[in-house]
Amino acid sequence: MKSFTILTALPLLAALASAAPTPAAVEARQFQAQITFFGAAGASFSMSVPTDGSGFTISNPLSISSISSEGGASCSFFGVDGSSTTVVGADSAVVGPPQTQTSGSCLAL
């Protein structure tokens, strides 16, 4: 009975091991997301941010009315007055009410 259990478990373990992402696959998902913040009167600034889920600080004091991403990540941003704005993939989102953004985080899709 023990040999049957071991023989049955071996293919399962092999399948699980082959399903695990390789270091190269994990590294390929780690890139810098390109984010652009838009304020009034055509003012804007851009940032390259990590996509590993870690938080980052936004130090530009411009009051932001919308945020866009070139894609590849899901990003959340937080404003000085409590706003929370999420952009998924190659898209943009309105910040309401417009306010200075203080922090964010992005995770590769």
Side-chain angles (χ1 to χ4, degrees):
M1 183 71 170
K2 284 184 182 181
S3 63
F4 176 76
T5 303
I6 292 170
L7 291 175
T8 305
L10 287 176
L12 176 63
L13 291 174
L16 289 174
S18 67
T22 64
V26 171
E27 186 175 320
R29 289 193 312 242
Q30 302 302 320
F31 65 95
Q32 298 281 304
Q34 304 304 310
I35 308 297
T36 303
F37 299 85
F38 298 94
S44 67
F45 68 94
S46 295
M47 292 179 66
S48 295
V49 299
T51 58
D52 60 2
S54 63
F56 54 85
T57 300
I58 304 168
S59 58
N60 191 307
L62 182 66
S63 181
I64 301 302
S65 55
S66 67
I67 304 170
S68 70
S69 169
E70 291 184 11
S74 175
C75 301
S76 294
F77 303 95
F78 306 96
V80 68
D81 293 326
S83 72
S84 177
T85 307
T86 300
V87 181
V88 178
D91 203 358
S92 62
V94 173
V95 176
Q99 58 194 272
T100 299
Q101 300 300 290
T102 57
S103 63
S105 68
C106 292
L107 189 61
L109 296 175

